[in-house]
Amino acid sequence: RYSARTWELARRKSVSPHDSIGANLVVQVKNDRVMRVVPFENEAVNECWISDRDRFSYEGLNSEDRLAVPMVRGTDGQWKEVEWAEALDAVAAGLQSVKNSYGAGQIGALAAQYATTEEFSLLARLVRALGSDNIDFRLRQTDAGFDAARGGAPWLGMALADVGALDRVLVVGSFLRKDHPLLAQRLRQAAKAGTQVILVDVAADDPLMPVAERVTVAPAALPSVLAEIAVALAQAREAAVAPELAGVQPGEAARRIAALLASGENTAVLLGNLAAQHPQASTLAANAQLIALATGARLGFTTEGGNTVGGYLAEAVPLRGGKTAAQMFAEPLKAHIVVHAEPALDAADGVAALRALRAAQFNVALTSYRSAAEDWAHVMLPIAPFTETSGTFVNAEGRAQSFKGTVRPLGQTRPGWKVLRVLGNALELPGFDDETSESVRDAVLAGEIAPRLSNAIGAKPGVGGAVQGLQRVADVPLFSSDAIARRATALQSTPAADAPEARANAATVADLGLADGDRVRVTSSTGSIDLFLSVDDAVPAGAVRIAAAHVSTFALGGAFEQLSVERA
């Protein structure tokens, strides 16, 4: 407003990085500055909609925190601006030193889920050419056994356009409207037309749609709820119950859900972000698979980031015994290459992530934002956000969508794929001859994508483990999902971005001897914070809801921690 006229704006097509829908955008620019973002209509993907996060996060692209020049930390701990050649030489020397002294297995690579497919591919190529298999983009994943259990790249299991045709859909472990606003919109339209939506979740937020059945439990109980539904389905069909579930007795809610699912003809079971991040994600997925098989339903993962499927296709995950992100943080390495990620807020346990990074001998951050890395990196290389580079995102349905940069890179910023390619050359590694991002993309996505997508789960079903004490329910706030959104001033001025509170239902608050509005001290295994307590009956018994991905709650560490709460 008051900064440009509509007719002064150039209009360029792009793709949203903020969630797995891959909403098509029209980015409007003036003088190489993004001024406005509006939807580009694509009935198969986002119809005519974009979310508020898609529309207003462009402010983060123009943030004063943008890193525009390569920087190297001196021996005195002070940052200094350098030329690209000097910065790349410093990175090559740092990585080579660690490899020579400790072996390639002490080098790890981490990335955010909205890195492009090209960036994922070249990062994987780089770290493997160095001799390491430690690479992961799933910074919030906590189940070390999930890779062994999955049959391929997890995906939605159907086209987005098919969601509206479902007559029954079970959504498990999702803060639906926060995680996937446009998928929630599709489900809402379907529910209004008669689709029976069933929710198994950890917080009874208002979905703004008719819900046929709902079970809300503490996170540790999610596997047992699905186990009850699976057993209820087997009993209704007089079929054999899986041996691992032999002692499970389904409750009334599980029987109602089983009957509802069994009555459907076009059914889906969708696992949300929290389900994939759960410490027992393999068991959850195996139980969900039992339900899907018993009802003829399609099994799907909503997937977390703008390019989660692309990360799997580019093999930016451990393949031959390498460490996952959680393992790298638990067993610190000597060197890290970090692309786009802000580990303190993007990891499941930001405390462990920072501890590991600060203990390393050498870290290089390929980042768009200085504050994302300046307290743990040794070299910071400015790379382009999605509006300043060409690239490809693969959305939850397996649709590859390529885009071009909409504005020139800021200052000395360079596209991430180019920086990784030149870094490979600086290290004298083979296989870094690509001249265009398209050649990198084609090497990853050559042939059919569909055969590489699979939601088949090889893990055994189970009931999960019991947790004593208060469990944390940790949602990622709507406008804290990624580094760009976190720096958008307008989004951070909304009620959705208010500082987190400790939220618990009335019974839990009474058991603690506390009252609504009390100032409380919340303690986990990693630290303590003081928050205001709010009564919220959407939170299940035995749990306290405290948002993740926020500076004020960082000290609590893991998203699935046990907590103690007392009056401050």
Side-chain angles (χ1 to χ4, degrees):
R1 191 177 184 188
Y2 304 132
S3 59
R5 297 292 189 183
T6 299
W7 54 84
E8 297 174 328
L9 302 176
R11 292 159 176 80
R12 289 154 191 172
K13 188 180 175 186
S14 191
V15 178
S16 169
H18 301 297
D19 60 47
S20 65
I21 302 305
N24 289 200
L25 311 175
V26 174
V27 178
Q28 301 185 356
V29 305
K30 178 184 178 183
N31 298 330
D32 278 319
R33 184 180 177 91
V34 178
M35 305 295 288
R36 184 163 67 181
V37 174
V38 296
F40 182 89
E41 292 191 29
N42 185 336
E43 284 297 315
V45 180
N46 56 297
E47 300 170 289
C48 62
W49 307 108
I50 56 174
S51 68
D52 289 348
R53 182 169 54 193
D54 299 330
R55 189 181 297 271
F56 295 111
S57 63
Y58 74 88
E59 289 184 332
L61 302 169
N62 304 323
S63 167
E64 293 181 1
D65 191 33
R66 282 290 303 272
L67 179 69
V69 180
M71 302 188 77
V72 173
R73 190 199 296 269
T75 54
D76 59 356
Q78 300 301 307
W79 286 101
K80 65 174 182 177
E81 298 182 357
V82 298
E83 296 297 323
W84 267 102
E86 182 179 346
L88 290 168
D89 286 345
V91 174
L95 293 175
Q96 197 64 53
S97 174
V98 169
K99 180 180 178 179
N100 293 340
S101 299
Y102 304 100
Q106 282 297 307
I107 299 174
L110 302 161
Q113 299 212 23
Y114 61 91
T116 65
T117 303
E118 293 80 356
E119 290 165 339
F120 280 140
S121 176
L122 287 169
L123 179 63
R125 196 184 301 177
L126 178 71
V127 75
R128 291 196 172 103
L130 285 168
S132 173
D133 190 47
N134 304 323
I135 179 170
D136 206 352
F137 65 91
R138 305 156 304 175
L139 305 192
R140 296 193 190 280
Q141 184 168 304
T142 58
D143 183 357
F146 185 72
D147 280 335
R150 65 182 177 87
W155 68 300
L156 189 62
M158 69 190 82
L160 281 165
D162 292 343
V163 170
L166 297 171
D167 56 21
R168 306 284 187 275
V169 57
L170 170 62
V171 182
V172 180
S174 179
F175 299 96
L176 197 55
R177 288 175 54 219
K178 295 184 178 184
D179 297 342
H180 302 97
L182 296 185
L183 179 59
Q185 188 278 140
R186 281 190 182 271
L187 284 172
R188 180 172 184 265
Q189 298 304 321
K192 287 164 62 178
T195 297
Q196 302 290 294
V197 177
I198 305 158
L199 302 178
V200 174
D201 52 27
V202 297
D205 292 345
D206 184 359
L208 298 183
M209 69 179 78
V211 175
E213 289 289 345
R214 185 174 207 164
V215 177
T216 302
V217 294
L222 283 176
S224 64
V225 173
L226 296 193
E228 288 187 32
I229 297 170
V231 171
L233 284 164
Q235 291 177 349
R237 294 183 299 127
E238 297 183 351
V241 174
E244 296 83 2
L245 308 182
V248 174
Q249 295 298 322
E252 284 303 313
R255 293 187 187 280
R256 290 196 303 270
I257 292 172
L260 198 56
L261 290 172
S263 67
E265 295 181 358
N266 187 3
T267 309
V269 179
L270 301 180
L271 295 169
N273 291 1
L274 183 137
Q277 296 158 4
H278 197 282
Q280 296 170 313
S282 303
T283 303
L284 259 174
N287 291 354
Q289 183 172 251
L290 272 185
I291 295 170
L293 291 172
T295 57
R298 285 175 279 189
L299 177 64
F301 289 79
T302 58
T303 72
E304 180 181 346
N307 198 27
T308 300
V309 176
Y312 278 109
L313 295 177
E315 298 184 336
V317 293
L319 296 179
R320 295 177 291 276
K323 293 182 178 181
T324 64
Q327 290 168 332
M328 289 185 235
F329 299 147
E331 305 163 14
L333 304 175
K334 296 296 184 182
H336 302 86
I337 308 164
V338 183
V339 178
H340 283 303
E342 191 170 12
L345 301 178
D346 289 336
D349 186 343
V351 172
L354 282 195
R355 186 188 302 122
L357 288 165
R358 287 170 176 163
Q361 179 175 305
F362 181 77
N363 298 315
V364 55
L366 283 68
T367 179
S368 302
Y369 300 102
R370 176 169 177 157
S371 68
E374 63 183 347
D375 64 337
W376 52 263
H378 298 89
V379 179
M380 294 191 294
L381 305 178
I383 62 169
F386 75 105
T387 50
E388 298 171 19
T389 181
S390 57
T392 305
F393 293 146
V394 184
N395 72 359
E397 65 177 350
R399 180 188 298 264
Q401 299 186 105
S402 295
F403 51 89
K404 299 288 187 181
T406 60
V407 293
R408 286 195 191 121
L410 177 71
Q412 295 184 40
T413 296
R414 299 289 183 267
W417 72 268
K418 284 189 177 181
V419 174
L420 289 164
R421 186 204 66 195
V422 175
L423 185 54
N425 297 150
L427 286 161
E428 299 181 348
L429 300 173
F432 287 84
D433 303 320
D434 297 277
E435 294 295 328
T436 65
S437 64
E438 288 79 9
S439 68
V440 182
R441 175 200 64 196
D442 292 346
V444 176
L445 303 180
E448 290 289 321
I449 292 177
R452 299 157 66 186
L453 307 177
S454 174
N455 294 322
I457 300 297
K460 293 182 178 180
V463 296
V467 174
Q468 302 300 320
L470 290 173
Q471 298 176 50
R472 182 180 180 184
V473 171
D475 58 303
V476 175
L478 180 61
F479 302 138
S480 296
S481 59
D482 55 73
I484 299 172
R486 285 193 284 263
R487 289 166 175 79
T489 305
L491 294 182
Q492 298 309 315
S493 300
T494 63
D498 286 348
E501 296 178 320
R503 311 180 74 86
N505 69 27
T508 301
V509 170
D511 288 344
L512 293 168
L514 300 169
D516 188 28
D518 280 351
R519 185 79 172 169
V520 296
R521 178 154 299 156
V522 183
T523 304
S524 71
S525 63
T526 59
S528 298
I529 60 173
D530 289 354
L531 297 171
F532 284 105
L533 179 65
S534 178
V535 172
D536 182 355
D537 287 328
V539 181
V544 180
R545 182 173 181 175
I546 301 175
H550 198 280
V551 173
S552 67
T553 62
F554 160 79
L556 290 181
F560 297 92
E561 286 275 339
Q562 287 182 248
L563 305 175
S564 65
V565 179
E566 59 187 358
R567 185 174 281 104

